[in-house]
Amino acid sequence: GFAVDRDRLDEIDAKLTELEQRNVKRISELSGVNINLNSPKQLAKLLFEDMGIPYPDKTAKTYSTKAEILQKLSGEYEIVDELLKYRFNSKLKSTFIDGLRKTLRHDGTVHTSFNQMATTTGRLSSTDPNLQNIPTRTDEGKLLRSMFVARKGNMLVDADYSQIELKLLAHFSGDPKMVEAFRSGNDIHAATAAEVFGVALEEDTSQMRRDAKAVNFGIVYGISNYGLSQNIHIAPKKAD
């Protein structure tokens, strides 16, 4: 099992609760009303009728407050950004804090199941609880990871093959640009970014590299143009 620092778990629980309450308060200030934020019907009425926010899908017959709809409005309306933050913090709390508490054993460890034959891509999956999908790029995700600790007298070690899937792809496909990128020691994601965005290698930005990474791994794991467009927030035509 994986050892969990119970005191740290309680601290993070309190922190996420505070963030959640802050989001609720700000949403109430921006809208002037208090509603059940977990009710799609009440939320849709507030955003698209009472507040008059234009609905992104002109052909829709009913309003939805699904993540993909709200993300299209993100950056334009503060209340939408606050709502997305609220949902994110609520999910972290319910999935990782409340979920971990239920599975935590008396010795302070949590035991996940790693499934070898569950995914079509051949990757491992983790269930009850899923310890493989804890966010890494956000401050909240890093906070969650800090509660997993080594047992006394031990340390945690992280080891990873360097871009192994893409090296295998280069080997089996024989693609000259991929092979050359690896042989010359170039960063394959940066090299792809330069190709995709039509810039010199040294002009790549970190955002371009992240998008190119989604392209590279998306191809390996069979992503569609729509899936890629959703992942990196671009038009499906551009993703194609």
Side-chain angles (χ1 to χ4, degrees):
F2 217 130
V4 174
D5 183 333
R6 288 177 188 269
D7 292 337
R8 189 71 179 135
L9 178 65
D10 291 338
E11 286 174 22
I12 296 167
D13 190 356
K15 177 71 175 172
L16 288 176
T17 300
E18 182 194 335
L19 288 172
E20 203 177 339
Q21 290 171 347
R22 203 182 295 169
N23 295 142
V24 171
K25 185 183 177 189
R26 184 60 185 147
I27 290 167
S28 178
E29 288 171 352
L30 291 166
S31 64
V33 295
N34 292 310
I35 64 162
N36 178 5
L37 297 179
N38 298 316
S39 165
K41 189 175 180 180
Q42 289 184 38
L43 203 53
K45 182 179 181 300
L46 172 68
L47 296 176
F48 306 119
E49 292 180 16
D50 300 344
M51 297 187 72
I53 293 175
Y55 193 69
D57 184 356
K58 306 294 183 191
T59 61
K61 294 179 181 176
T62 58
Y63 294 138
S64 168
T65 58
K66 291 190 295 186
E68 52 262 41
I69 293 292
L70 295 185
Q71 278 162 2
K72 289 176 182 177
L73 300 165
S74 179
E76 294 183 53
Y77 302 94
E78 186 185 347
I79 193 168
V80 172
D81 294 333
E82 284 295 329
L83 185 58
L84 288 169
K85 286 180 199 171
Y86 165 78
R87 284 184 175 176
F88 179 71
N89 290 327
S90 295
K91 186 179 179 184
L92 290 186
K93 189 176 183 309
S94 62
T95 304
F96 298 109
I97 300 298
D98 302 338
L100 271 177
R101 283 195 197 283
K102 291 175 188 172
T103 58
L104 203 58
R105 298 194 181 183
H106 64 87
D107 63 352
T109 62
V110 61
H111 291 247
T112 186
S113 293
F114 286 109
N115 312 301
Q116 292 175 290
M117 302 292 287
T119 69
T120 54
T121 58
R123 282 188 161 186
L124 286 175
S125 67
S126 165
T127 50
D128 301 318
N130 184 351
L131 295 184
Q132 289 192 159
N133 72 336
I134 299 174
T136 56
R137 291 179 187 165
T138 63
D139 291 338
E140 293 84 357
K142 289 170 186 171
L143 200 63
L144 285 170
R145 287 175 175 243
S146 69
M147 68 185 165
F148 296 98
V149 294
R151 295 167 191 257
K152 193 172 181 181
N154 293 276
M155 64 169 62
L156 299 179
V157 178
D158 177 40
D160 188 14
Y161 282 112
S162 175
Q163 301 177 337
I164 189 67
E165 294 105 329
L166 299 177
K167 285 178 180 174
L168 287 168
L169 183 63
H171 170 76
F172 286 117
S173 69
D175 182 84
K177 286 189 177 178
M178 283 192 83
V179 171
E180 177 54 33
F182 282 122
R183 282 186 172 162
S184 60
N186 287 338
D187 178 334
I188 189 67
H189 300 311
T192 299
E195 289 283 325
V196 169
F197 295 103
V199 297
L201 202 58
E202 59 274 11
E203 293 174 3
D204 279 349
T205 65
S206 57
Q207 184 60 53
M208 285 179 182
R209 186 184 181 279
R210 275 197 295 273
D211 289 349
K213 193 172 179 179
V215 172
N216 283 337
F217 285 115
I219 290 169
V220 175
Y221 288 104
I223 202 168
S224 66
N225 62 339
Y226 175 77
L228 181 64
S229 73
Q230 293 298 298
N231 279 3
I232 62 175
H233 311 298
I234 59 172
K237 189 174 180 182
K238 188 174 182 183
D240 194 42

